[in-house]
Every structure is written in C-alpha cells, then in structure tokens.
Amino acid sequence: MARIRHVFSKRQQQLARVPQRITARVAIPIYPERPSIAQLPDEALRLILNYVDDIDLRTLATINSTLYEKTRYVQHHTVAIDLGQHRHALSLLDILERNRLQPAVRVIELSGGSYTQEDDDILVRLADLMSAMAGLRDLHWSCLGTFPHILRDRIPAQTRLHVSITGRGGTDDQVRERFMALVGNQNLFSLSVHLGLQVEFVCSEKMRALKEVLLSCPWLTRIPLLYVGPICTPPHGMGDGPLPGAPYCGLGFSGGEKPLALEELGVTMYPWGREPTPHLVSIKAVYCAGYPEKGSEVDYWAEKFNWTQLRKLNDIPKDLALKIAPKLTLLKEVVLEEEYWDKSEFLEGIPTTLEVLSIPSWGHISNQPSPIIRHGAALRKLTIHHQESKHNPRIFLADTDLVILCQSLPYLAELILDIARDTKKNAWPYSSLDIIAKFPSLKVVELWFELSNRWAASQTPHLTVSAARELFNYLHQRSSNIQSLKLHSGIPGRASHIFGDPSWELQNSVYFLCKVSICDGDAADGYVTVTCPQLSIEMNAELTRLSKLSSKERGPANNATELSIKVALEGPLTMEDWKAWGRLQDLHAYKAYRKENSVPQRLGRFVSNALRWN
C-alpha cells in the first residue's frame, strides 16, 4: 500500500503545474521600414487594447511575450473577487503578485461571504498588495459583512470607496455595526442601502447610524439606492406594511441638517415622515409619531438639501421629483424605472438637457414625444423598456412617433427599446427597423421582444440565433454606423425561481449579442459574430457548430445548459414540452442517485477511502 501511495504522490507532483512568470522581450518589427505596433509606446498600445473584446485579448496574449504582458495588464484593470470562493480568490491574487500587475489595477470588486473576519487570509493578502496599486481608483464592497478595518487602514487616499449594505445575512445589531464601521470614513464615495422594515423601533436604530454616516463622511456624495420598506420575499411578494399609527423610523434630518450636495440619488422606498397634527394622530396615520420637523419630510428634503450638484437621478417619489425639478441645474442622467407615475411634467420641468434618459414605457410620458424631444440637443442614450408582465402590458411606439424621434435626436448613439412583432404579417417589424436605421448617429441598438407567458402561445417568429443574424444584417446593411445589436426575447421576472426551481420564463428567455467582426475567421459569416452572453465561450462555440446542422442531427437537450442551446437554436418550448423535459430530468436524476448509492458503489467508495487513509 505504501508503494501505491508513493507512486500516486509522485505522479501528482509530476502533473502539478508550477506557475511561471512570462518575461516580456523587446519587440522587434519584422519590416522596420513599415509602421508596426512594436514602435508604439506602452501607453498607446494599452489604450488600443482597452477597446478589444475579452475573447480577442486571449488570442492576442498567445502571439508573443510582449503582447502577453500588455494584454494581461489590460485584463486586470478590473479585478472581481468573490470571498465565498476561497481558492479562486487566492489564485487570482497569486496571479497579480507573480506577474507584478498591481499597478494595472484600477477597480476592485469584492462580493460574496456572509461575514468577514479580520484575520481572513484573502483580505490580509489583498491589503498587502494594495500598497503597490498606485492606480487604484475604485473599491467596491458588496459583501454581507462589515467593511473590514484591515482594508480601511490600507486603502489609498485617492481611492473612492463604494459600499452596498443590505439587511440580509445578519441580525439588527450586526447591520447597525455595518453602518457604524463607515462613520467618518475618508474614502466613502457612494453608499447603497437596502433594509427590510420589520419593527419600526429597531429600524430607527439602524437609520440613526445611517444618518451619522451621511453627516460625517466628507466625500459621500452618491446614494444610488435607498430602500427602506417591506421585505421582498419571492415568490410570495412583498411583506406586510406598517401597522396603523406606526412611529416614524426615517433619517430624521431636522434643524437645517443635511448631507453634502449630492451628485446621485435614488429612493425607491422610504418611510416618509409627517408632522403629527391632531387630525393625523386621530386617524392613526403612519410615520407621524416621533417626526421632529414641521410639515412633511418630502418638503424638508426639497427645501433644505442642495440639489444644484445632482448629476444622476434614479427613481424617487413623484412629489419630491416635481418639487426639486427646477433646481436640477447640472442634471445629465435620469433613470426612472418605477411605473406608478407619469414622467412628462418632470422631464419638461428640468432646466437642463439630458444626456441619458431611461423610462419604463411610452405610456409613462403620455404617449407624446415632446418630453424626450426637448432633450434632443444633448441626448446620447435613450431607454424605453420595462419588465414584461401579463398584468401590465407594454405600450409600444408607433412608427409615426419613432419617425419623430429619429428626426429630433441627431446625436443619439444608443437606443434601448421595447418593440412588437408585426402581428398582421406574422413577421419581424421591418418598418420599425427601417426607421431605426435612419437615426444619424446610432451605433448601439438593443431591442426587447415579447416572449408571452407560459399559458399563452409564444410570440412568432421566434428569436433564434439565425433570426438574430438576419436582423443584424438587415440593420447593418441600411446603416453601417450600427456596430452592435442586442436582442432579447422575454425577461425573467423578479421571482425567476419558483420554490427553488427555474421557471418557464427563465429557461425560455434568450439574449443575443450581434457585432461587426474584423477577424478573418468570421469571413464565412459575413464578418458578423452572434453570441449568447448567457453561455460560456465553449458553449457558444457549440452553439455555432450546431446552428449549421439540421434539427434531427442536433439531438435532445440532456441538461439545463443544452436546453439553453436548444432554445437559442429553435425558440421557446411549449408548456407541455417544457414539463415533459422537466419530468425526464427528474427521472435521470433519480436513476443517477440510485446508481450512485447502490451497494457496489458504496462498497467501492469505502474500499477507496480505506486505501487512501491507511
């Protein structure tokens, strides 16, 4: 047995890969008399590589040592670390240190993990490497634990800290500690908050800690999300609201208190306070008892806060939006996704012209183009899209309105749009595509087609990989400026999993990315690439291979990944076929379990473990 273990250990050592650092050699042009990238300075070459796709970067890295070093530098501008994947995180830090890529890092994104210990080896290792990250611009913390002291003490002075705090994964005291750890932080630049409101008294303790953070951090000017409301518990919907007479549990700014002049704000849910007048007290109005100011909290925010520096506005209540609209003199970006109020008055009351605008549907601006047209001199990106729902059907643009937008938005470079098929001809909306192709500056288009729901017949024609290529060719032939087309059929709901199982909508929605290619390998496809971003690189290669075969040659879908490929090739399954496929997967899983737990298999595992440890 000892001999077997010795041979096994020796073989493992032979197969183990010892990582090596590839040293770049000086690049020499093959033809010195001709222009060559070898003659470019490092900064210029890295700037060019910033515009290259990830797949092409991997190809460039295999050409020579010089390009390998430059591409690795560009690939590590953003480093994403999941604290829940311990081995992978340490491996990524090893790559950074071994290849001396610390100066290349501009953004670090930390996620995962239900708690953080100060002696966690990942954080200790990262803190040591941060001293060499002279170019580190942004550090994002979206873990469930408290922002650790070891990073707070090592973060460079010029680095902006972005923190996301949620009430999940901790007790009320632990959530409060997450806020208190940020009080007075000199790097905190943006703070997103999502708290479930269960007991008003407990929530008020956390809100006081949040208020202390807002008043003490000298660089905190962005609050992309502030949600303080019922706990969302899919698939059962929202939690219970406040009881009659519930006490005030908001931030409680009073006596002229206010945060710094905000540059970004989003408030989707918040317990707005009101002065406890005798009438409100008699009817047991919520959030009155304990509110420290006169009037309403909405009025206090509108009058006391400094709104002149706000550049990006996310969802906020209608009353607050209309009150502050005349004060938004620097506003450039508006993202309004909530569907319960009309945005026309607000958009027409802003004193500046917007560069980015997102609204849920055409119906939320009274089916009139004027609220959009008034921003036409500066508008670069326009989104008209909301989640597909049978309870809230989409309102699509008519071709006449699309023509007006085309004529009034000369600088629009990106258009994201809900669009309907031509139901009369049972075809794609070619008349709308013709109008889209006439936008003079349009480069990126994203279209959302309806999938319908599980109980109704799916929309036809189906969006497949071949249809996506056809639609992109149709647009690109009419406008060579359009270099990218994103196509969607359906969007999974917020409760995309029902009782732990994927829903019909989730497994039958598709998303394609079509782009112009300059690679010789894509010549046979007309220098156009069509990929499914939901799939891996290997699965996209398989999708391309199978798309050239007939449906009979492709075979059945044996797992969820192969089902995604099948849907991308042939369109969504009917409800009956999807249920039949699910029953077949359950049967295969049951047979695999029985086989894995049969007597011979259990005996084999017992003997294997005995040989391994004895």
Side-chain angles (χ1 to χ4, degrees):
M1 295 301 174
R3 175 64 178 169
I4 293 176
R5 289 197 301 270
H6 172 72
V7 173
F8 184 75
S9 176
K10 186 175 181 180
R11 183 172 299 174
Q12 274 190 324
Q13 294 176 2
Q14 293 174 347
L15 295 176
R17 298 179 58 187
V18 179
Q20 299 288 335
R21 178 174 181 266
I22 299 177
T23 305
R25 294 180 295 178
V26 178
I28 300 175
I30 298 178
Y31 304 103
E33 68 279 1
R34 297 181 182 178
S36 171
I37 61 172
Q39 300 168 348
L40 294 175
D42 289 348
E43 293 77 9
L45 183 54
R46 288 170 183 165
L47 181 62
I48 294 173
L49 292 175
N50 279 326
Y51 295 93
V52 179
D53 294 336
D54 290 339
I55 297 177
D56 294 331
L57 278 176
R58 295 184 184 128
T59 303
L60 289 173
T62 63
I63 295 177
N64 57 46
S65 60
T66 300
L67 285 176
Y68 175 84
E69 182 187 50
K70 301 300 184 295
T71 54
R72 295 295 273 176
Y73 195 95
V74 172
Q75 285 174 326
H76 288 85
H77 277 186
T78 299
V79 176
I81 299 176
D82 186 348
L83 298 180
Q85 299 181 3
H86 189 271
R87 181 179 299 179
H88 181 268
L90 288 178
S91 175
L92 182 57
L93 295 178
D94 285 339
I95 292 174
L96 288 176
E97 185 175 16
R98 184 173 65 249
N99 293 282
R100 302 173 187 174
L101 292 169
Q102 297 96 316
V105 179
R106 298 293 180 267
V107 180
I108 296 178
E109 299 174 350
L110 293 168
S111 63
S114 58
Y115 63 91
T116 300
Q117 297 178 345
E118 293 300 325
D119 58 348
D120 187 278
D121 50 352
I122 299 175
L123 298 178
V124 172
R125 185 78 176 280
L126 177 61
D128 292 338
L129 294 177
M130 283 175 59
S131 60
M133 296 180 183
L136 183 61
R137 183 179 65 249
D138 297 283
L139 174 62
H140 296 261
W141 177 267
S142 57
C143 304
L144 297 181
T146 303
F147 186 69
H149 291 283
I150 190 171
L151 293 184
R152 185 192 64 186
D153 298 337
R154 302 285 188 89
I155 185 172
Q158 77 280 2
T159 301
R160 300 178 298 187
L161 176 61
H162 309 262
V163 177
S164 176
I165 293 181
T166 176
R168 295 185 298 109
T171 64
D172 293 321
D173 290 338
Q174 289 174 333
V175 174
R176 183 177 178 276
E177 284 300 318
R178 295 172 190 175
F179 288 117
M180 296 305 297
L182 299 174
V183 172
N185 191 290
Q186 301 295 307
N187 295 89
L188 188 60
F189 182 71
S190 75
L191 178 63
S192 297
V193 178
H194 192 289
L195 297 179
L197 200 162
Q198 291 177 300
V199 181
E200 284 77 9
F201 173 78
V202 176
C203 184
S204 64
E205 293 291 328
K206 293 182 283 188
M207 296 302 285
R208 277 195 288 269
L210 172 57
K211 176 182 176 180
E212 192 172 348
V213 174
L214 296 175
L215 295 178
S216 64
C217 296
W219 211 7
L220 179 56
T221 58
R222 293 178 179 268
I223 307 176
L225 172 66
L226 178 59
Y227 178 98
V228 183
I231 298 176
C232 187
T233 56
H236 306 291
M238 305 293 290
D240 295 332
L243 296 175
Y248 174 71
C249 56
L251 290 168
F253 289 113
S254 62
E257 291 177 326
K258 60 183 178 181
L260 295 177
L262 296 175
E263 296 180 4
E264 180 179 0
L265 177 65
V267 184
T268 57
M269 188 75 72
Y270 179 81
W272 296 101
R274 291 180 291 175
E275 179 184 358
T277 62
H279 172 67
L280 293 178
V281 172
S282 66
I283 63 174
K284 295 184 178 181
V286 298
Y287 308 141
C288 292
Y291 179 64
E293 272 290 338
K294 301 292 184 181
S296 70
E297 190 171 8
V298 170
D299 291 335
Y300 183 92
W301 282 36
E303 295 171 4
K304 301 297 183 181
F305 284 21
N306 183 354
W307 301 105
T308 58
Q309 300 301 312
L310 198 70
R311 298 177 182 274
K312 182 178 180 181
L313 182 64
N314 301 321
D315 280 308
I316 63 172
K318 176 182 179 180
D319 293 344
L320 180 60
L322 296 180
K323 290 178 184 296
I324 68 175
K327 304 177 182 180
L328 305 177
T329 55
L330 291 182
L331 190 64
K332 294 298 179 184
E333 185 172 352
V334 170
V335 180
L336 301 176
E337 298 178 349
E338 291 295 336
E339 303 175 3
Y340 58 84
W341 61 283
D342 190 280
K343 280 69 175 174
S344 302
E345 184 180 354
F346 171 74
L347 293 176
E348 293 177 344
I350 300 173
T352 60
T353 52
L354 299 174
E355 295 177 358
V356 177
L357 173 60
S358 176
I359 57 176
S361 76
W362 191 243
H364 287 85
I365 53 172
S366 303
N367 298 325
Q368 297 295 326
S370 55
I372 297 177
I373 290 175
R374 70 175 303 272
H375 301 282
L379 199 61
R380 300 294 189 274
K381 180 179 178 180
L382 174 62
T383 301
I384 307 177
H385 165 67
H386 76 95
Q387 182 175 305
E388 182 178 348
S389 171
K390 64 179 180 180
H391 304 293
N392 188 13
R394 294 173 176 175
I395 301 177
F396 300 102
L397 274 76
D399 285 350
T400 53
D401 295 320
L402 195 57
V403 169
I404 296 175
L405 293 182
C406 177
Q407 296 171 346
S408 306
L409 306 178
Y411 305 110
L412 191 71
E414 185 172 354
L415 176 63
I416 302 172
L417 188 65
D418 287 337
I419 191 169
R421 296 170 174 85
D422 188 340
T423 55
K424 294 182 179 179
K425 299 180 180 179
N426 197 28
W428 299 112
Y430 291 110
S431 60
S432 300
L433 296 179
D434 290 335
I435 300 170
I436 291 174
K438 293 178 181 179
F439 278 80
S441 303
L442 201 58
K443 296 181 180 179
V444 178
V445 179
E446 186 169 357
L447 301 177
W448 293 80
F449 293 98
E450 285 188 303
L451 175 64
S452 190
N453 61 74
R454 66 186 68 185
W455 309 114
S458 57
Q459 300 279 346
T460 55
H462 297 314
L463 182 60
T464 62
V465 63
S466 58
R469 185 179 299 277
E470 173 193 341
L471 291 173
F472 180 63
N473 286 332
Y474 187 89
L475 273 177
H476 188 64
Q477 289 170 2
R478 285 154 180 78
S479 175
S480 59
N481 288 335
I482 298 177
Q483 300 292 306
S484 174
L485 173 63
K486 300 175 184 178
L487 294 168
H488 304 259
S489 176
I491 174 173
R494 293 174 183 172
S496 57
H497 287 72
I498 300 179
F499 301 109
D501 296 324
S503 65
W504 179 88
E505 291 80 5
L506 179 66
Q507 293 194 317
N508 285 276
S509 298
V510 291
Y511 164 33
F512 296 107
L513 174 60
C514 313
K515 295 196 304 183
V516 174
S517 173
I518 59 174
C519 298
D520 292 338
D522 297 319
D525 296 322
Y527 291 99
V528 171
T529 61
V530 180
T531 58
C532 185
Q534 300 164 321
L535 303 177
S536 64
I537 296 175
E538 295 76 16
M539 289 296 99
N540 270 295
E542 180 68 5
L543 175 63
T544 302
R545 185 187 71 84
L546 292 175
S547 65
K548 300 175 182 178
L549 303 178
S550 65
S551 57
K552 294 183 179 179
E553 297 175 301
R554 293 168 185 164
N558 296 316
N559 51 53
T561 302
E562 292 183 4
L563 178 63
S564 298
I565 295 178
K566 181 179 179 64
V567 172
L569 289 168
E570 302 174 6
L573 276 66
T574 64
M575 190 62 183
E576 292 75 15
D577 290 342
W578 179 72
K579 285 184 175 181
W581 178 85
R583 288 191 293 268
L584 186 61
Q585 298 309 300
D586 292 340
L587 178 60
H588 290 165
Y590 175 73
K591 289 182 177 179
Y593 173 80
R594 291 290 303 270
K595 181 179 180 181
E596 183 69 17
N597 290 275
S598 62
V599 173
Q601 289 291 334
R602 292 201 301 269
L603 180 60
R605 287 197 296 270
F606 175 78
V607 173
S608 177
N609 290 333
L611 293 176
R612 179 180 178 185
W613 299 112
N614 290 331

